[in-house]
Amino acid sequence: MINNQKVLLGAGLAALALTFAPVSIAAPGSWSSEPVRIVVTFPPGGTSDLVARLLAKHLDSDYGQKAVVDNRPGAAGTVAADYVSRQSADGTTLLLANNAPFTISPTRFKSIPYEPIEDFTHVAYIGASAPGLFVQPTLGINTVEEYIAYAKSKELAYGSSGVGSISHILGEAVDAKLGIQSIHVPYKGSSPAIQDFRAGVLDMFYDMVVQNKDMIADKEAIAIAIASPERNPQTPNVPTFREQGYDVVIENWVGLSAPAGMDAKTTETINDTVLAIFSSDEVKERLIELGITHSAMTSAEYTQFVADSISTWAPLIKSAGIVEK
């Protein structure tokens, strides 16, 4: 005999479970019949551009979503960000950007033509890479403590990829944290700085560690420390600042954003699709080669991350003396 009370109780619990069960309103896949434009804040050939092209390739091959890359460099990423903020929030225009337009430019410049939170739907976090400190092998410096001792006995100049760049901000943060003072020599990109380093013009420079792993392997440069929370698997012999007793963590992160007002379903579809692509073994391996450590975030988490980053970076930018007056 069937126990009607148990049946009713079971039916009631099932209904209750359905009522409160999390409902996914989207899944990985295409979201527009139109080609998607991925706007990049840097010119072709850089890490951000390579990530954008990797994403565009897999959107098409894995999900049938056509996508093209549109490079719009200039003004520390604000040119591209301003352009995207003015487009339709229908998912056909996305911004692939690093820290610069959202966490550096708002503090660095007197005014920018957009609000970094209010004017965007921050869709998906992709990952982060970290810069580090490189010195000439002839200096005989291998640790942060040895670097401090040397810097206090001799005036040093470091090269960066430009005023307001991640490498510049790291250089100033390291000086402040270590209690030393060095001269900043800005270049137009990391390549000319590295050329001068190789020519012996510079004693040291700051740049992305993994991108210079061949120099490290060939002993053309000594990587004193990397500014990431943990060592990078591509350069396992390069210690962090933190493990040497100095809490210096400055990462160059990259993510995907859209104009403000994009609907929740499209936002979640793009987020799910992007995370599925960058979580695949093939793509994750390529990110590792580029020095990027991938992490997953929801759109809400990424939005909060951007907001928190603005507060975190503001004092670093001010201490670097690069705030526009």
Side-chain angles (χ1 to χ4, degrees), residues 123-125 266-276 297-299:
V123 182
Y125 177 86
T266 303
T267 300
E268 188 171 342
T269 298
I270 298 174
N271 180 277
D272 287 350
T273 305
V274 170
L275 294 186
M297 292 186 192
T298 64
S299 173

Side-chain angles (χ1 to χ4, degrees), residues 27-38 55 59 63-67 90-94 256 262 265-267 269-274 277:
S30 63
W31 59 89
S32 175
S33 58
E34 299 295 322
V36 172
R37 180 183 302 180
I38 303 173
L55 174 59
L59 282 174
Y63 298 101
Q65 176 63 66
K66 299 295 182 182
D90 58 3
T92 59
T93 305
L94 303 173
L256 203 65
M262 192 160 69
K265 183 176 181 179
T266 303
T267 300
T269 298
I270 298 174
N271 180 277
D272 287 350
T273 305
V274 170
I277 288 172

Side-chain angles (χ1 to χ4, degrees), residues 197-212:
F197 178 84
R198 281 178 161 149
V201 176
L202 288 173
D203 287 327
M204 50 186 279
F205 72 96
Y206 289 92
D207 195 29
M208 296 299 152
V209 171
V210 173
Q211 280 83 335
N212 293 286

Side-chain angles (χ1 to χ4, degrees), residues 102-104 106-107 116-117 305-315 317:
F102 297 130
T103 63
I104 297 177
T107 300
I117 301 298
F305 175 81
V306 174
D308 291 343
S309 295
I310 294 172
S311 300
T312 300
W313 280 75
I317 296 162

Side-chain angles (χ1 to χ4, degrees), residues 47-48 51 98-99 125-132 166 207-211 226-229 232 249-254 287-288 290-294 313:
T47 301
S48 294
V51 171
N98 72 340
N99 313 43
Y125 177 86
I126 294 173
S129 57
I166 301 290
D207 195 29
M208 296 299 152
V209 171
V210 173
Q211 280 83 335
I226 185 171
S228 55
N232 190 291
V249 176
I250 294 181
E251 295 187 291
N252 183 35
W253 51 261
V254 63
L287 287 182
I288 290 172
L290 293 172
I292 298 173
T293 302
H294 169 66
W313 280 75

Side-chain angles (χ1 to χ4, degrees), residues 105-126:
S105 296
T107 300
R108 180 185 173 192
F109 297 120
K110 189 181 300 183
S111 65
I112 55 175
Y114 56 83
E115 290 293 332
I117 301 298
E118 291 84 352
D119 290 344
F120 295 90
T121 301
H122 294 295
V123 182
Y125 177 86
I126 294 173

